[in-house]
Structures are given as C-alpha cells and as structure tokens.
Amino acid sequence: MKIVNSKLDGESIINVEQKPSPNHGSSFKANFPDTIIIHYTAGRNAKESVSTLCNPAHQASAHVVIGRDNSITQLVNFNTVAWHAGQSSYGGRDGFNQYSIGIEIDNCGYLIKQGDDFLSWFGGAYRLSDAFEGKHRNPQVKYEYWLRYTRWQIQTVEEICRLLIAEYGIKCILGHEEIAPSRKIDPGPAFPLDKLRDKLFNSDRSSDAPAEQFPKSGVVTASSLNIRVDAIINASRVATPLPNGTVLTILSEKDGWYSVDAGVKGWVKKEFVDG
Ligand SMILES: [Zn+2]
C-alpha cells in the first residue's frame, strides 16, 4: 500500500474501498495531523460500522475502517478532519479530532462469559478461541474478556501507521481509551497498542532491552489468579486459584503467560504477577 493524494492506495494488491463520509470537518491546520487514534467500532461487522459512520444523523466518522473480513474502507481523506475522538484530552491538548487520524478496527469490544459462550453487548456469541482475557489499562474498567483482533487487522493497522508516520511525521499513537478515559474503553487490552508504539517509535531501543531472565520470583497481584495446565484461557485449572500475595517461581514466558511453580506447576496470566 501507499498514500496518494491523502488516500490509501492498495497498488492493485490490496483492495481499499473509498466510501466518502459526509461527516467531516475542514482540512487539518499546518503541521497536523501529528497523532493517530486507535479505536474499535463496537459494531457487529465492518459493513454496518461503515454505514453508521457515513450516516449524517450520527455525526461521527473515522479515516479508515479495518474489517474482520479483511476489508479496508477509507471514509475521510487523511488531510481532512474526521469526527472520531469526541471530547478528549491528553498531554495538555484537548479535542483530538483537529490533531489526529482515526483508525477504526471492526471489533465488538468486551465479552461476557456465559456458560461456554462469550457474548458481546448485542448478544452475539463468540467461541472460546475468539476471547482474549486481559485487564484494561484503565483500572475502573472491570470487563475481563475481549474479542480478539485478527492477525490481519493488527498487521494492517501497523502497515497503515507506518505509511502515515512517513507521510505526515506522526509523532504519537494513542488509544481512544487514553484520550477519553472516563468515556471510552477502546481499543481495549486485546489490541497490542504498547507493542505497536514500541515497534514503530522505539525499534532501535527494543533490541537493547534485556530479555527476561528465568527462573525468578514473583508475587500474585490479582485478588485471585487461575493456574492452568496450558497458556490458554480455557485450559483446565491445575489447582484452586492462587490468592493475592502468593509468592511463586516464574519458570518461563509464552504469549503473555508465565509458567510458574507455586507448590503446583502451571500457567498464569503474566499481567497478574509482579515479577
Ligand atoms: Zn473510539
């Protein structure tokens, strides 16, 4: 892909659909955009979200929508203000629409576990393998499960961010949850936002970062922590949950999980262990 005249161009390899939304402001002022805001749509699918973001009654839009169906739809040219941030504030600035590109990723958001199902806010049922278990960066958010983003969505967002950094000199990538923490919880913990920032802005540093050394000791920081036979959320528990403050030995790390020895051996979510 490349950017031509403020539009994504799939270079006849990737299909980028241009569907101009009437919901937009004027051109960005000089030196802007300098920020990218990442969102999830909280919708059922990309087609419905695109149609909502093109409906003048909603007064909302984004520059692009990245579908779970591998679709890319551009609604607003990158040189034009879109309406995605709403009331927002970060780093001493307010009203991020005037500074930022908005990328919406097709994802329904949090999931509620009900029996074997994981249900979205609109009642859509998702499989165990679609559920991501993770704590939100904003501590008041209590949801535990989130719909996974597809690998293609994560890669495509990264590619578009790289193009925007090169074209506009973007300095900052933020989640909607960071610029409007009292109102918004997107993109949520299932989106690897910190990893993306690290990759795009600190790549020279990350190679110097020391790798974690094992074994090492750790302490359970959750009120109680499930310990499982494998590093997946639906794996069987090997023992009763470990209470807060349990001291354990961390043996290795895999995909956000630690293999630990706490008297019994098993896998626990890394984010709930201070190691
Ligand atoms: Zn949002």
Side-chain angles (χ1 to χ4, degrees), residues 37-41 84-85 103-104 175-177 184-187:
I37 305 295
I38 308 288
H39 303 261
Y40 64 53
T41 56
H84 55 96
I103 299 180
E104 284 278 2
H176 205 187
E177 68 202 21
K184 293 291 175 180
I185 61 173
D186 59 313

Side-chain angles (χ1 to χ4, degrees), residues 7-223:
K7 288 183 170 70
L8 276 177
D9 178 340
E11 299 182 282
S12 41
I13 304 163
I14 296 167
N15 182 41
V16 179
E17 194 183 345
Q18 296 289 335
K19 197 167 188 310
S21 170
N23 304 334
H24 64 80
S26 48
S27 298
F28 283 106
K29 296 210 168 76
N31 304 320
F32 297 110
D34 67 357
T35 301
I36 296 168
I37 305 295
I38 308 288
H39 303 261
Y40 64 53
T41 56
R44 288 170 174 79
N45 55 59
K47 204 174 162 215
E48 274 195 29
S49 297
V50 164
S51 136
T52 302
L53 296 172
C54 288
N55 182 341
H58 289 285
Q59 296 282 295
S61 62
H63 291 89
V64 285
V65 177
I66 311 301
R68 300 181 76 72
D69 56 359
N70 296 4
S71 64
I72 303 176
T73 312
Q74 182 158 11
L75 310 181
V76 177
N77 287 356
F78 292 130
N79 62 356
T80 302
V81 171
W83 298 338
H84 55 96
Q87 206 172 65
S88 46
S89 174
Y90 189 92
R93 299 197 299 190
D94 298 321
F96 267 78
N97 284 340
Q98 59 184 313
Y99 307 122
S100 64
I101 299 289
I103 299 180
E104 284 278 2
I105 316 173
D106 169 26
N107 183 303
C108 67
Y110 67 85
L111 299 173
I112 303 289
K113 192 175 188 323
Q114 203 169 90
D116 287 340
D117 283 332
F118 289 83
L119 302 180
S120 69
W121 64 269
F122 51 80
Y126 293 89
R127 291 167 299 174
L128 286 164
S129 55
D130 289 325
F132 177 92
E133 185 180 16
K135 212 165 149 183
H136 199 277
R137 74 175 69 242
N138 298 341
Q140 75 274 21
V141 182
K142 299 302 179 200
Y143 300 116
E144 293 174 86
Y145 301 102
W146 307 81
L147 182 61
R148 280 184 194 282
Y149 293 89
T150 69
R151 189 181 294 263
W152 181 87
Q153 285 179 308
I154 292 170
Q155 284 169 353
T156 301
V157 169
E158 181 183 330
E159 189 179 347
I160 293 173
C161 286
R162 275 187 203 283
L163 293 173
L164 292 169
I165 289 168
E167 182 81 8
Y168 298 104
I170 298 289
K171 293 178 187 67
C172 190
I173 302 175
L174 294 167
H176 205 187
E177 68 202 21
E178 294 174 299
I179 61 164
S182 60
R183 296 188 304 119
K184 293 291 175 180
I185 61 173
D186 59 313
F191 187 79
L193 185 56
D194 295 322
K195 212 165 155 183
L196 176 72
R197 288 192 277 238
D198 211 43
K199 230 169 153 177
L200 296 179
F201 297 123
N202 301 324
S203 52
D204 50 334
R205 222 187 43 185
S206 57
S207 55
D208 301 338
E212 278 188 276
Q213 300 287 328
F214 301 108
K216 63 176 179 178
S217 68
V219 179
V220 173
T221 57
S223 55

Side-chain angles (χ1 to χ4, degrees), residues 92 245 255:
D255 299 336

